[in-house]
Structure formats: structure tokens, C-alpha cells
Amino acid sequence: MAIVESSELIEQLKAIVGPGGYREGEDIDSKNYKDLMGARSVHPPLLMRPETTEQVSQILKACHSVKQPIAPQGGMTGLVSGAAPLDGEIVLSFERMKEVVEVDKFTSTMTVQAGVELQTIQEKAEESNLLFPLDLGARGSCTIGGNLATNAGGNRVIRYGMTRDLVVGVEAVLADGTIIDGLHKLRKNNTGYDLKQLFIGSEGTLGLITQAVIKLAPKPNSQAVALCGLKSFSEVADFLVLAQSSLGSNLSAFEVLWNNTYKLIDEYVPHVDSPLSQSFGFYVLIETMGSNAEQDLDLFLNTLNEASESGLVEEVVVADSDTKIRNIWAVRDGAAEVIGAGYMHAYDVSLNIDDMGYFGDEVEKRIRAKWEQTTIGLFGHIGDGNVHIIVNIGPETRDLHLEIDEIVYRLIQELNGSISAEHGIGIMKKQFLEYSKSDPEIQLMKTLKQTMDPHGILSPGRIF
Ligand code: FAD
Ligand code: ZN
């Protein structure tokens, strides 16, 4: 398939972007080809760094005509090994498409090029007293193009939705170079198929996202955070119901750490100062944001009181300063930093809340039945039904990960859950796609791929 040897194509591609718009050989930095998950490190023959949508279009047109495969790339923080190139693929990075085109306070939207980092967008929104609600640990390096391509979730989905819910318009380029200009600011637009949704969450397989119009929200002026210790998962589920009904739309995060993860953070993430003892079965980080600081805090404290008095919550630490708010969030974020315990193979699954307590016990039981000395931790965005699991079965964790995957995903299938809540399928999960999608669904996905990218040049081998 790879025809990058064709010097004619290489010369044509270089001419499209001009000097500075490409890199080759030793000039290509390892960040542009090394997979974060350690799955591969294939040096690409060419790295394309276009600056405009027109250049992206011309690159795709040239590659389409000779069936040259492409690995599109944002910040390379994806967790399913999608963006790192495979043998023979050229890389198309959005690292030079970093322009914030416009912040429009009348429509509460921002227009951005695909390569703008999430944190830049958050800061730009704040300058206009607005909020871009998407937030995740990789905010400093991930790009909005990557966020859209993976339909990223993160910490505030419970209130604001996934990336899919935060997009008004998308400009994308099809495999043959056709530019699909859906870049408008209309929140209501029922003119047939919602084409932007084809590109959101399709992991670079149906088209390349070059620009987007994203939705901004009013910036909240209150934030309250507490860490609570609870006995069992049934209390966690009841606490969530109470929080949702009494806090309403103020509830902005409901993050949970199982006891196993809390202990791992205490032991292996030294910069985190855990404010509760290790004696609780579950730890809930609860956060509210609103527009009336005094009333919001009263509502927050009343809800926590009610939860304590009814015996749902055993102990509560309320953050009374910005520093303490950051400290409590650092405990939660510590779950992604438990590396001292060895390589942690990570999962991102979703299931119904009332199955989650059983799932946590059962998944550990099944993995331990095979590898008794397993280190395992569960945590996640439980308000959205999303659990992350980290597992180390010993030095052979990486080599045997497909066997662990089989145990985890089989249980997910039994519970009618999803093998990917927010990270996508990429290459890492593709052999398990059928555990969460039916044959007709997969067939329809393949039909779309065939129609939109008949030569299969965009992210080939990803998803299926
Ligand atoms: P990349 O990794 O570069 O690419 C991801 C995929 O999108 C690839 O398939 C790539 O080909 C494709 N792609 C990239 N740009 C484009 C484009 N412009 N057009 C078409 N396709 C494109 N994810 C969550 O959902 N929630 C979390 O809470 C979360 N937390 C994280 C915490 C940490 C510490 C880390 C390292 C990752 C986390 N992630 C999380 C995963 C990751 O950050 C997201 O998937 C992010 O959206 C990827 O963005 P990126 O720019 O790095 O994309
Ligand atoms: Zn997550």
C-alpha cells in the first residue's frame, strides 16, 4: 500500500507547504511518532505541517490520487494508539494550525483552527469572562482537533456534556481533498443530516477537522469542592441521586475513587496530600459551580449535611480556599499518575450506575483468579457512568494485555456496557469492537468509511 518511495509525490507534497511546512529524516521529533501507550515507534518518511485548510485539501488530494496513507495528528495524547504512524504512513500534524480566529460574545462561540491547545482555548474564553467547559488532564498538550476527533469527555461531562455537545460548526476536509465548510455559528440548524457529527468521534477516519466553532458558557463565579468518604457503592449511587436532585445544574463534577485507587495514590504519588484516611470503601469528589457565590455555597453545604445526616456519607472535607480546591482535585488527578507501581494497563468503560458496584468487585475477582498478585485500581467520572481501571498483573502486563482485555470486556459485554466511554477505539480496542456494537452497526460504519474514504488513506486500520 505504501507508496512513499515515490519521490514525485514527496516533491509534490513539499511544494504544497513550502519550506518550514514539512520535516524529514532526523529532523522529525520523536513526539511526532512515538505512541504514548508504548505500542509502537515507527519513524515516518515525511511529516507534513500545513498552515491552512487549503494546504490540507491539496495534501489529501495528492495522497488520494496515489492511495498514500496518512496518520493525522493533534497533540499525541490519545490513549488508544490512534495517532502514531504505522509503517509507510506519512504524518499530517496540525501543529502549525494554532490560530484562535474569533471569540464572539453575541453568540457565545469561539472559532479556532484544529491545532489550538485546549488550555489556550480555556484561557482565551476566560479573558472574555466566558468558559469553555471541556477539561481533561492533558489540557496543556491536547488539541481541539484531537478533542473533536475523539469526542473527548473529561471532568465536567455531568453538567456540560461530551465534546460532541460543545460544537456548533465544523470545517473538515474529505479524503479526496473536498472541503466541507460547516463553519457557522447557528445553534439551530435542522437542514437534514448533521454532517459535523460524522467527523466528531470518528478518530480521523472519515475526514480531517481543520476548524471548529465551539460553544462557550457563562463563566461561573462560584466553585465549591469537597472530598467525602463513603462505605459502599450503594451509598455512592444514592449520594449521586441526592446530589443531582438537590444541586440541579450546579453539580459540575462527581468523581469517585475506589479504596484500591486511593491507597495507590497515597503510596505512589508523593506530591498528593490525601485529606482522608484510607479506611473508607469509596471517595467522592463533589463540585458545584454557579452564579451566586453565597447561595451556591449554602446549597452545597446543606446537601452535604443532608448526606451526612442520612448516613450516606461518613466523613467530609470541604475545601475552604483555592489551594485546598486544587489539593482535592490533585487527589483525583493522582489516579493517572500511579506509575511507581509498574506499568498500569488502563481501561475506559461505561455501564449503568446500578451495575457498577458489582462490576468493581467482579472484575477484580476474575482478574485475580488468573493472576493472584494483581495490582488494580478503579476510579472515574461516575456521574456519567464512566469507570477507569488500572491494572498491573506483574512484569508481563504489557505482553499479556489482550488476555486482561478479554476478561474486562467480556464482563462489560455481559452488563451491556461500552468498551470505550471517552477514549475511542483506535488500534488498541478494535478487536473488541463487536463486544459493544452489533454487526449491522459495524457494517453501517464500514459503508460510511467506504463512501467517504474509498481508498482508505485516512487513519487506516483504526477503529476496524
Ligand atoms: P491525538 O492523540 O493527536 O489524536 C487522537 C486521534 O484523533 C487520532 O486518531 C488522530 O488521528 C485523530 N486526530 C487528531 N487531530 C485530528 C484532526 N484535526 N482531524 C481528524 N483527526 C484528528 N480523554 C478523555 O476523553 N477524557 C479524559 O479525561 C482524558 N484524560 C486524559 C488525561 C491524560 C493525562 C492524558 C495523557 C490523556 C487523557 N485523555 C482523556 C485522552 C486524550 O487527551 C484525548 O483523547 C484528546 O482528545 C486527544 O487529543 P490530541 O490532540 O492529543 O489528539
Ligand atoms: Zn477520564
Side-chain angles (χ1 to χ4, degrees):
M1 171 133 192
I3 43 77
V4 275
E5 304 82 51
S6 149
S7 58
E8 200 183 321
L9 173 70
I10 301 261
E11 292 316 311
Q12 198 183 348
L13 293 175
K14 287 182 186 172
I16 292 168
V17 286
Y22 65 87
R23 295 215 166 119
E24 342 171 62
E26 291 311 303
D27 288 342
I28 302 178
D29 198 290
S30 64
K31 76 172 166 49
N32 291 105
Y33 58 86
K34 242 183 142 144
D35 175 43
L36 187 71
M37 305 304 288
R40 61 184 176 279
S41 173
V42 178
H43 194 287
L46 188 64
L47 165 69
M48 298 298 291
R49 308 165 69 227
E51 264 186 315
T52 63
T53 302
E54 189 50 43
Q55 288 179 355
V56 174
S57 163
Q58 287 180 35
I59 292 168
L60 293 198
K61 198 171 171 197
C63 290
H64 177 78
S65 68
V66 293
K67 303 185 181 171
Q68 167 60 46
I70 293 171
Q73 194 173 93
M76 287 289 267
T77 68
L79 298 175
V80 289
S81 302
L86 294 165
D87 236 350
E89 291 176 357
I90 65 164
V91 170
L92 190 154
S93 167
F94 287 89
E95 64 196 22
R96 290 207 307 167
M97 292 184 63
K98 280 187 189 302
E99 193 190 343
V100 174
V101 181
E102 187 193 15
V103 179
D104 179 347
K105 65 177 182 182
F106 296 108
T107 55
S108 286
T109 59
M110 194 187 299
T111 305
V112 284
Q113 278 190 312
V116 182
E117 275 107 12
L118 175 57
Q119 190 168 333
T120 306
I121 291 174
Q122 291 174 337
E123 289 167 2
K124 205 77 195 164
E126 207 167 329
E127 283 170 20
S128 303
N129 211 25
L130 291 162
L131 173 82
F132 184 55
L134 181 67
D135 188 42
L136 40 111
R139 63 184 76 76
S141 348
C142 65
T143 64
I144 192 70
N147 298 149
L148 263 70
T150 59
N151 184 28
N155 297 330
R156 305 237 155 76
V157 174
I158 192 169
R159 169 140 167 203
Y160 296 100
M162 305 269 289
T163 300
R164 197 181 285 295
D165 303 303
L166 302 173
V167 182
V168 189
V170 166
E171 177 193 75
V173 183
L174 299 182
D176 67 1
T178 307
I179 297 172
I180 302 292
D181 179 5
L183 216 54
H184 58 74
K185 302 174 187 170
L186 309 170
R187 296 217 175 197
K188 300 180 85 168
N189 181 14
N190 262 350
T191 47
Y193 305 147
D194 190 354
L195 297 175
K196 68 176 178 289
Q197 299 297 355
L198 286 175
F199 304 108
I200 302 173
S202 60
E203 301 180 47
T205 61
L206 297 183
L208 301 194
I209 296 161
T210 42
Q211 291 192 72
V213 179
I214 53 179
K215 279 186 210 170
L216 305 175
K219 193 179 142 203
N221 57 17
S222 81
Q223 183 186 21
V225 174
L227 188 69
C228 312
L230 293 84
K231 202 187 304 167
S232 67
F233 196 86
S234 80
E235 274 95 39
V236 174
D238 287 340
F239 183 31
L240 175 62
V241 173
L242 170 73
Q244 279 173 321
S245 69
S246 62
L247 297 166
S249 63
N250 269 18
L251 182 63
S252 54
F254 192 92
E255 298 286 312
V256 178
L257 301 167
W258 270 243
N259 172 276
N260 45 25
T261 305
Y262 197 76
K263 281 187 179 149
L264 286 171
I265 295 168
D266 231 4
E267 191 174 346
Y268 292 108
V269 192
H271 72 86
V272 170
D273 186 15
S274 312
L276 290 172
S277 78
Q278 291 188 354
S279 63
F280 302 99
F282 292 84
Y283 299 80
V284 173
L285 181 160
I286 182 167
E287 180 193 71
T288 62
M289 287 179 163
S291 54
N292 185 321
E294 208 170 306
Q295 278 178 20
D296 296 338
L297 185 62
D298 281 350
L299 186 62
F300 185 66
L301 295 176
N302 288 342
T303 306
L304 291 177
N305 265 340
E306 194 181 333
S308 298
E309 278 165 15
S310 60
L312 289 179
V313 166
E314 301 201 309
E315 200 174 327
V316 185
V317 178
V318 178
D320 54 10
S321 67
D322 286 350
T323 309
K324 288 190 181 151
I325 288 179
R326 277 197 297 276
N327 284 351
I328 290 183
W329 267 109
V331 177
R332 162 62 184 86
D333 290 341
E337 299 167 48
V338 182
I339 31 183
Y343 165 71
M344 286 288 176
H345 194 60
Y347 296 89
D348 156 48
V349 298
S350 67
L351 63 164
N352 294 327
I353 300 275
D354 50 352
D355 290 326
M356 241 176 235
Y358 164 78
F359 173 78
D361 295 340
E362 187 66 15
V363 79
E364 177 164 0
K365 197 171 100 193
R366 292 189 191 182
I367 294 174
R368 266 195 213 294
K370 198 154 180 188
W371 300 282
E372 212 185 324
Q373 297 305 320
T374 293
T375 303
I376 181 167
L378 285 95
F379 58 97
H381 321 287
I382 301 309
D384 323 317
N386 181 184
V387 191
H388 294 310
I389 313 162
I390 45 177
V391 180
N392 177 294
I393 58 165
E396 67 280 33
T397 304
R398 219 187 274 274
D399 294 342
L400 297 185
H401 80 85
L402 285 176
E403 289 181 40
I404 322 171
D405 293 356
E406 170 63 29
I407 295 174
V408 175
Y409 296 141
R410 179 71 64 190
L411 180 56
I412 284 295
Q413 186 186 36
E414 285 168 26
L415 296 172
N416 237 331
S418 167
I419 63 161
S420 174
E422 55 176 13
H423 296 163
I425 298 296
I427 287 183
M428 281 186 74
K429 296 187 175 185
K430 67 177 191 170
Q431 60 267 65
F432 299 101
L433 184 62
E434 62 192 36
Y435 285 34
S436 294
K437 278 239 170 353
S438 66
D439 284 346
E441 283 174 310
I442 294 174
Q443 203 42 57
L444 180 56
M445 284 164 66
K446 288 183 173 167
T447 305
L448 280 171
K449 171 73 178 168
Q450 176 63 30
T451 305
M452 295 176 71
D453 179 16
H455 297 330
I457 62 163
L458 297 179
S459 299
R462 276 70 160 184
I463 303 185
F464 33 62

